[in-house]
Amino acid sequence: MSAHDADTDIPDVLERVQTGVTAFDELIMGGLPRARTTVVGGTPGSGKTIFAVQFLAHGIVHAGENGVLVTFEESPADIESNMRSFGWDLARWRREKRLAVVNASPSGNEELVTGDFDLIGLLARIEHAVKTVEAKRVVLDSLTQLFDHFIGDPKVLRRELFRISDALKKARLTVLMTAERNVEYGEITRHRLEEFLADNVVILRNVLQRERRRRTIEVLKMRGSHHVEGEAPFTIQGGTGASEGFGNHGLVAVPLSSLRLEQQSSTVRVTSGNSAIDEMCGGGFFRDSVTLVSGATGTGKTLLVTNFLAGGVAAGEKALLFGYEESRGQLFRNASGWGVDFEAMEAAGKLRVFCLYPEAQGLADHLLAIQSLVDQMQPNRIAIDSISALERVAPDVGFREFLISLTSFIKKREIAGLYTATSKSLVGGETASEQHISTLTDSIILLRYMQEMDTMHRGLMVLKMRGSEHAKEIRRFTIDGSGMHLGEAFKGAPNVFFGGGQEY
Amino acid sequence: MSNFLLRLYIAGRSATSQRAQSNLYALRSLIGPEWRVEIVDVLSEPELAEQAGILATPTLSYEHPERPRRIIGDLSDAKRVVEFLGIEVKEKYA
């Protein structure tokens, strides 16, 4: 650790052990405290075993710390084959003496428990395994199974587990124990293991909300240390049906700690792809800003996106488009209808277009997909068409987290971002996305149908432009085969932009 | 014959292990001389505990080829022990 502040009076700075779930390590100030016991609780299928094995794998592969896996539930052979899909070759690590497995899974023996006993047999085996591979990390998966094995003697189990935990900690081992939960919210673990055993408690959740799975990780307690509170979303990468090309395997948490929007703002302007809109914005968008284009269906949002991408490519930039409403074919046809050749841009390596059904995966996976493609391509600008389609996927909290993470990611990379949002009503009215992101985006452009006498017109307005002057008027515009044309400002326009108390 | 082997896994000189050992020796006098008894201390021979998959100590293992049986605990209830192992008792005891 660098930069120890002599003035702060911390007698014993806890050494940290990285878990390999990067964003989770950030939540807990760098990792699990060394020589402590952490209980990881979760319902069946919440990812406890994956998390536990990832902790060992990270130690073995990245930290030069060997591990011991004590398995009470699955046989070593089952775990080995289950974990192979994450790229973790437990069998090889065993041969290389970097991992030792203590098989405590149920045997076929008939068994009778009568009279007092202890678990020194188990402790001796763990200690022996630790010695054999000179382990620094130990996983016990899962304690609940052990309790079920000795169902009649919970008091003995508590005493013995405390003894084991204590002995391992004294040997400076960092211990992770998994335990089952019956419910996502409520009692922390069955048998209340955390109460007597854990220095730290971590909860993995797998909640069904609006027919979508939402996985989160939460630090409930971290003895003698600060941690970020709240549930951080995560996804499980790899495993069966995994998409190729992602660098990460196992649990990948979405960073929440880095969500404070405190990025420096650039004063460099980039074109919106339409010179009249650039003018209205005071000279274009800022390079590291995110702009929201909101409007009813057919008002020209996708056209604005097309201009935004084409304008960037014309200026020598690389552009990335994520489409969640229309297919690639549709987007390409639209573009060529406005005189923009997406195909040529892709062939030149200046543009990439990805189309996905919003419902194809959870928001955490969408976010990771975007991040991974941005890392691959290193674009200068990115458009999301539309952000409101993604809102269908997740409930409010999840969507807000997604937006915050995505926006902060885009700004950090100094990429110009453009989101579109479809308002539900044709004239006026706010989209739910607007409410969520009006505070998060730097600029907002509204596209609205405007009624003037007996005719419907299209109107465009720059509602907000952070750090810059912008035109305040509502400009009428038309769309034809060469794109968008801004015309005169409406004079004495009716109050259709914000609803004006009318019902729509 | 392995059919007549009882192996007791103990943990050093802990109270329960000591008790299990003396209970086992007492039991032996009831079940006849063909039974052999082996004591394994998991603290000095952890690899044997690993091979046998021992969790708890003391554990008495009757490694019957068809019906392996194990008794966890200090063997204080001799009647239950012999019943569970399916061993015939030479003399009646209360």
Side-chain angles (χ1 to χ4, degrees), chain A residues 202-218:
Chain A
V202 173
I203 303 289
L204 300 178
R205 288 194 180 87
N206 180 14
V207 185
L208 193 63
Q209 279 177 323
R210 281 206 214 156
E211 299 174 16
R212 298 293 309 187
R213 286 272 154 213
R214 181 166 181 266
R215 294 181 181 275
T216 61
I217 186 164
E218 180 187 16

Side-chain angles (χ1 to χ4, degrees), chain A residues 72 101-104 107-125 128 146 149-150, chain B residues 11 14 16 19 42-43 46-47 49-50 53-58 67-77 80 84:
Chain A
F72 295 107
V101 176
V102 172
N103 180 11
S107 66
N109 291 329
E110 282 179 55
E111 196 176 88
L112 171 76
V113 181
T114 167
D116 194 23
F117 66 94
D118 54 50
L119 291 182
I120 294 177
L122 175 63
L123 178 59
R125 289 169 66 193
H128 178 63
L146 185 65
H149 188 151
F150 298 104
Chain B
S14 80
T16 39
R19 221 160 38 234
V42 299
L43 296 183
E47 58 284 349
E50 180 60 42
I54 298 298
L55 295 182
T57 33
R67 250 190 84 193
R69 271 155 281 184
R70 283 184 178 176
I71 298 176
I72 289 165
D74 59 13
L75 308 177
S76 48
D77 190 340
R80 282 190 77 187
F84 181 77

Side-chain angles (χ1 to χ4, degrees), chain A residues 142-184:
Chain A
S142 80
L143 298 183
T144 311
Q145 175 63 40
L146 185 65
F147 264 85
D148 290 348
H149 188 151
F150 298 104
I151 195 89
D153 307 271
K155 271 189 194 151
V156 175
L157 259 281
R158 283 165 176 255
R159 183 192 71 204
E160 291 304 310
L161 278 172
F162 184 81
R163 186 213 302 266
I164 289 173
S165 169
D166 198 50
L168 298 179
K169 279 156 67 176
K170 285 203 174 102
R172 296 285 299 159
L173 291 154
T174 310
V175 185
L176 198 156
M177 301 178 172
T178 67
E180 212 150 276
R181 315 182 66 206
N182 294 331
V183 288
E184 293 295 1

Side-chain angles (χ1 to χ4, degrees), chain A residues 280 292-296 299 301 421-431 434-435 444-452 456-464 470-477 486 488-504:
Chain A
M280 288 180 77
L292 172 70
V293 177
S294 168
T299 45
K301 294 184 303 296
T422 306
S423 37
K424 289 183 184 86
S425 61
L426 288 179
V427 282
E430 276 192 326
T431 65
E434 267 173 41
Q435 293 165 4
I444 299 176
I445 294 175
L446 298 179
L447 304 178
R448 293 288 191 261
Y449 288 112
M450 312 270 297
Q451 189 184 353
E452 204 179 40
M456 205 59 132
H457 296 282
R458 290 187 172 98
L460 180 150
M461 180 191 187
V462 179
L463 189 67
K464 167 182 165 189
H470 63 88
K472 304 292 193 293
E473 80 265 17
I474 305 166
R475 296 274 294 271
R476 70 180 80 222
F477 70 93
L486 269 73
E488 300 268 291
F490 285 95
K491 293 187 178 67
N495 182 21
V496 298
F497 267 85
F498 306 103
Q502 299 165 41
E503 294 288 327
Y504 294 107

Side-chain angles (χ1 to χ4, degrees), chain A residues 334-406:
Chain A
N334 292 345
S336 73
W338 297 312
V340 174
D341 191 350
F342 271 1
E343 244 163 84
M345 292 179 189
E346 270 208 334
K350 291 296 187 187
L351 174 73
R352 288 181 79 176
V353 178
F354 289 93
C355 292
L356 257 176
Y357 279 113
E359 284 81 4
Q361 51 189 8
L363 281 185
D365 290 291
H366 276 298
L367 181 63
L368 289 164
I370 293 170
Q371 290 177 343
S372 134
L373 281 160
V374 165
D375 285 340
Q376 258 177 46
M377 189 195 180
Q378 305 284 336
N380 307 91
R381 49 180 66 201
I382 180 172
I384 312 285
D385 186 26
S386 70
I387 207 89
S388 44
L390 287 174
E391 195 177 9
R392 295 203 303 264
V393 176
D396 311 333
V397 185
F399 182 65
R400 185 162 173 79
E401 281 166 3
F402 166 79
L403 268 179
I404 295 174
S405 305
L406 178 63

Side-chain angles (χ1 to χ4, degrees), chain B residues 19-66:
Chain B
R19 221 160 38 234
Q21 233 170 310
S22 52
N23 283 335
L24 179 61
Y25 287 130
L27 190 74
R28 206 178 160 190
S29 61
L30 298 172
I31 58 178
E34 69 273 28
W35 284 89
R36 285 190 301 123
V37 165
E38 221 175 84
I39 307 287
V40 177
D41 185 347
V42 299
L43 296 183
S44 53
E45 292 177 292
E47 58 284 349
L48 291 181
E50 180 60 42
Q51 276 167 33
I54 298 298
L55 295 182
T57 33
T59 293
L60 181 69
S61 175
Y62 175 23
E63 278 148 42
H64 190 281
E66 283 109 51

